[in-house]
């Protein structure tokens, strides 16, 4: 898209000269000697940049600037001013002008100022777009279960601080979604969010990705490259699968976390950054430390504030919410409106080893296969259709005189605790409820006290 430049100056010959010069640069150009007409063009044409003379008889340039900024708050306005009114030009910049040029001006200087401001505006637009896309991509944590509500509360508490956060949980539970939520609710929300998967790169490439490199640092390093820590300055860096780092890389990362400084690969200059670190892993860090695979000092540096994301099988009451959330996300693309009760029952009874990521993929696949407006059981993958429902069915002898539902629930909790050897988390899994729900019911019936 060709940028549109609007020139507002009461000198006809200057408007003509500038119009010719800007057209030669490849811009679409509008010009007027009337400030009121200029404001009308700003409202109707929404130009990319305005060149505005400060001193005009019909209306003062400062008034034009104020009204232009009211109509288009982000429009860059370059002020033209005589030597005697530089103080006024500086005042105009305080109001919101992007830059000023003194008359008589150098045309090349004006061209450079215009180009720089158009680049800045384009970058600001791209950043705004990418942030909105980030929000669309990750949306928010969805769920009403006690387990996920507790996670949301923890995110709200830690977001306002600058503490390092360690997010644990199985693959597909939404660790990066949680990291984005922390960033977007933090004072750093207007800064960059930079993510890197530590498991996706070999050691040398990972070091270069994290800390950058200088030209000639290694074969193929034809130019200086900024690392992710440098790019994340004044923002947040998300280190996913942190346990996949080699021990030598862990040592280098530890130094960065301690000092918030580093050198690029092949460089000697010390780079200082202001970065919040969020790390994530799907492995048991205690076991990794015991096996010598993860540094204990790095663990304590990362584990300032820990958030554990529960697997989907421990928050089954959230499956309908999540399924409909993904359906809404894919609706504009696939035109599917709902999930049938039978299909939803299959979704809720499946154990979801791939967690939320697997659920999202299943919904999208079903939406693609479905030719109508409703997802039916036959649109779901065979592993969901082949869930051994009969194995989960209980054979209950129902007496003629009836039975107490509370007594049945109490007996089931006792049986689950016996089968799990007293492990409350496992007992909750056996019953298909969360641990907090199990504790509530067990305390209600006096099975567990305190």
């Amino acid at each position: 898209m060709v940028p549109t430049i609007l020139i507002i100056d009461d000198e006809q010959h200057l408007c003509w000269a500038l119009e010719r010069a800007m057209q030669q640069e490849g811009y679409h150009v509008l010009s007027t000697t009337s400030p009121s007409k200029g404001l009308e063009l700003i409202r109707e044409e929404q130009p990319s940049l305005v060149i505005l003379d400060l001193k005009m008889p019909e209306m003062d340039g400062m008034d034009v600037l104020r009204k232009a900024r009211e109509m288009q708050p982000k429009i860059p306005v370059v002020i033209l001013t005589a030597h005697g009114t530089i103080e006024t030009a500086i005042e105009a910049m305080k109001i919101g002008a992007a830059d000023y040029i003194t008359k008589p001006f150098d045309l090349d200087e004006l061209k450079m100022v215009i180009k720089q401001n158009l680049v800045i505006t384009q970058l600001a637009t791209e950043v705004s777009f990418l942030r909105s896309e980030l929000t669309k991509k990750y949306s928010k944590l969805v769920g009403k279960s006690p387990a996920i509500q507790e996670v949301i509360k923890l995110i709200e508490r830690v977001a306002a601080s600058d503490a390092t956060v360690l997010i644990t949980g199985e693959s597909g539970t939404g660790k990066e979604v949680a990291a984005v939520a922390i960033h977007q609710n933090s004072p750093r929300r207007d800064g960059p969010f930079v993510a890197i998967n530590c498991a996706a790169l070999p050691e040398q490439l990972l070091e270069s990705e994290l800390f950058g490199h200088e030209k000639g640092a290694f074969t193929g390093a034809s130019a200086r490259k900024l690392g992710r820590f440098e790019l994340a300055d004044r923002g947040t860096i998300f280190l996913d699968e942190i346990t996949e780092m080699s021990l030598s890389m862990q040592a280098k990362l530890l130094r960065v976390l301690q000092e918030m400084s580093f050198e690029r690969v092949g460089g000697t200059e010390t780079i200082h950054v202001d970065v919040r670190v969020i790390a994530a892993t799907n492995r048991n860090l205690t076991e990794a430390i015991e096996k010598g695979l993860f540094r204990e000092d790095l663990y304590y540096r990362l584990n300032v504030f820990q958030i554990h994301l529960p697997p989907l099988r421990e928050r089954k009451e959230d499956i309908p919410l999540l399924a409909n959330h993904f359906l809404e996300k894919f609706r504009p693309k696939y035109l599917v409106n709902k999930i049938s009760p039978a299909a939803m029952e299959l979704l809720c009874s499946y154990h979801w080893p791939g967690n939320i990521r697997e659920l999202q993929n299943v919904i999208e696949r079903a939406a693609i296969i479905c030719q109508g407006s409703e997802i039916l059981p036959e649109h779901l993958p065979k592993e969901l259709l082949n869930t051994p429902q009969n194995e989960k069915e209980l054979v209950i002898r129902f007496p003629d005189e009836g039975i107490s539902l509370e007594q049945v629930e109490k007996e089931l909790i006792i049986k689950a605790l016996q089968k799990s050897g007293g492990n409350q988390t496992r007992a909750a899994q056996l019953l298909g409820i969360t641990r907090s729900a199990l504790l509530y019911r067990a305390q209600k019936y006096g099975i567990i006290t305190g």
Side-chain angles (χ1 to χ4, degrees):
M1 183 177 175
V2 177
T4 298
I5 307 294
L6 171 62
I7 303 163
I8 306 174
D9 196 302
D10 62 316
E11 297 182 42
Q12 181 68 56
H13 69 280
L14 184 59
C15 280
W16 180 84
L18 285 176
E19 189 171 346
R20 291 289 300 275
M22 294 302 107
Q23 286 173 342
Q24 289 175 0
E25 292 297 305
Y27 302 125
H28 175 236
V29 186
L30 303 170
S31 68
T32 179
T33 57
S34 166
S36 57
K37 178 63 176 176
L39 289 171
E40 187 179 323
L41 288 170
I42 290 172
R43 182 171 52 253
E44 294 176 356
E45 301 295 333
Q46 297 189 339
S48 309
L49 181 141
V50 176
I51 300 172
L52 173 66
D53 188 20
L54 264 188
K55 293 297 179 182
M56 294 179 288
E58 179 191 334
M59 185 187 299
D60 185 72
M62 296 286 279
D63 292 332
V64 177
L65 174 62
R66 289 189 184 93
K67 292 178 180 178
R69 298 280 297 178
E70 286 174 6
M71 286 187 282
Q72 277 187 257
K74 295 182 180 180
I75 189 172
V77 179
V78 177
I79 298 294
L80 299 181
T81 180
H83 279 292
T85 56
I86 290 178
E87 292 80 3
T88 310
I90 294 172
E91 184 64 29
M93 290 190 70
K94 290 179 181 178
I95 295 173
D99 212 331
Y100 71 90
I101 299 287
T102 56
K103 295 179 180 180
F105 54 82
D106 182 276
L107 187 58
D108 288 335
E109 181 187 1
L110 177 61
K111 289 177 181 178
M112 182 59 67
V113 167
I114 290 170
K115 187 175 293 185
Q116 288 174 341
N117 277 284
L118 287 174
V119 168
I120 290 170
T121 303
Q122 181 183 356
L123 288 173
T125 302
E126 289 176 1
V127 167
S128 178
F129 170 76
L130 289 172
R131 282 190 183 134
S132 67
E133 287 299 299
L134 188 68
T135 303
K136 289 178 187 175
K137 179 181 177 182
Y138 292 105
S139 186
K140 60 181 181 179
L141 291 167
V142 176
K144 63 180 180 181
S145 65
I148 203 63
Q149 286 301 311
E150 179 62 24
V151 169
I152 292 170
K153 287 179 183 177
L154 291 173
I155 287 173
E156 290 172 350
R157 288 172 190 164
V158 78
S161 73
D162 222 18
T164 301
V165 180
L166 177 63
I167 304 174
T168 61
E170 296 178 8
S171 294
T173 50
K175 295 187 290 293
E176 190 163 357
V177 176
V180 171
I182 293 169
H183 172 74
Q184 291 180 332
N185 287 281
S186 76
R188 295 175 178 267
R189 66 179 66 88
D190 293 327
F193 177 86
V194 179
I196 183 167
N197 187 332
C198 301
L201 298 167
E203 183 175 347
Q204 185 183 24
L205 285 179
L206 180 59
E207 184 177 6
S208 172
E209 281 296 318
L210 287 174
F211 311 128
H213 64 248
E214 298 290 352
K215 181 179 179 180
F218 50 83
T219 304
S222 57
R224 170 186 282 180
K225 177 181 178 179
L226 303 186
R228 301 294 179 95
F229 268 95
E230 209 166 341
L231 294 171
D233 191 31
R234 299 186 182 279
T236 303
I237 188 167
F238 176 59
L239 305 174
D240 198 9
E241 303 306 342
I242 192 77
T243 47
E244 302 306 313
M245 273 189 182
S246 67
L247 289 171
S248 61
M249 271 302 301
Q250 290 176 33
K252 293 172 183 176
L253 176 62
L254 179 62
R255 183 218 161 186
V256 176
L257 295 179
Q258 290 170 336
E259 303 175 13
M260 276 298 153
S261 64
F262 55 90
E263 291 80 40
R264 300 187 190 100
V265 177
T268 56
E269 178 190 1
T270 299
I271 311 297
H272 296 274
V273 291
D274 173 17
V275 175
R276 183 190 198 157
V277 177
I278 301 176
T281 181
N282 63 3
R283 293 174 63 180
N284 186 315
L285 276 168
T286 304
E287 289 182 3
I289 292 169
E290 290 174 353
K291 293 176 181 178
L293 301 174
F294 200 79
R295 293 178 62 110
E296 189 172 10
D297 48 3
L298 178 57
Y299 169 72
Y300 288 119
R301 179 64 64 172
L302 292 171
N303 193 31
V304 176
F305 192 98
Q306 186 175 142
I307 297 175
H308 178 72
L309 290 180
L312 190 54
R313 63 181 174 273
E314 291 183 10
R315 43 179 293 216
K316 288 203 168 187
E317 58 264 61
D318 291 335
I319 290 175
L321 286 173
L322 286 162
N324 284 308
H325 168 75
F326 293 131
L327 187 68
E328 187 67 27
K329 178 181 177 181
F330 298 131
R331 180 176 292 159
K333 192 173 182 181
Y334 302 117
L335 304 177
V336 180
N337 293 321
K338 60 182 178 178
I339 302 170
S340 73
M344 186 64 80
E345 186 177 345
L346 287 170
L347 293 174
C348 291
S349 62
Y350 185 57
H351 60 288
W352 299 108
N355 292 297
I356 299 171
R357 187 183 297 127
E358 184 183 8
L359 174 60
Q360 177 174 335
N361 292 342
V362 165
I363 297 299
E364 183 170 17
R365 176 186 181 276
I368 293 169
I369 293 173
C370 177
Q371 296 297 311
S373 62
E374 184 178 35
I375 292 176
L376 301 173
E378 56 262 35
H379 302 137
L380 299 176
K382 61 182 180 180
E383 55 265 29
L384 271 75
L385 300 176
N386 296 334
T387 300
Q389 301 290 331
N390 292 334
E391 291 180 12
K392 297 183 180 180
E393 290 179 3
L394 292 173
V395 178
I396 300 175
R397 293 181 180 178
F398 203 99
D400 294 336
E401 64 273 17
I403 190 170
S404 167
L405 185 60
E406 289 188 353
Q407 184 61 34
V408 172
E409 186 175 54
K410 180 179 178 180
E411 288 298 324
L412 285 172
I413 292 171
I414 292 171
K415 293 285 186 186
L417 286 167
Q418 289 173 345
K419 191 172 183 65
S420 66
N423 186 310
Q424 295 169 0
T425 300
R426 178 58 184 151
Q429 291 173 359
L430 292 171
L431 294 170
I433 59 176
T434 63
R435 181 175 176 273
S436 58
L438 173 74
L439 287 173
Y440 170 77
R441 289 173 170 83
Q443 289 171 1
K444 174 184 174 183
Y445 298 126
I447 300 169
I448 296 175
T449 58

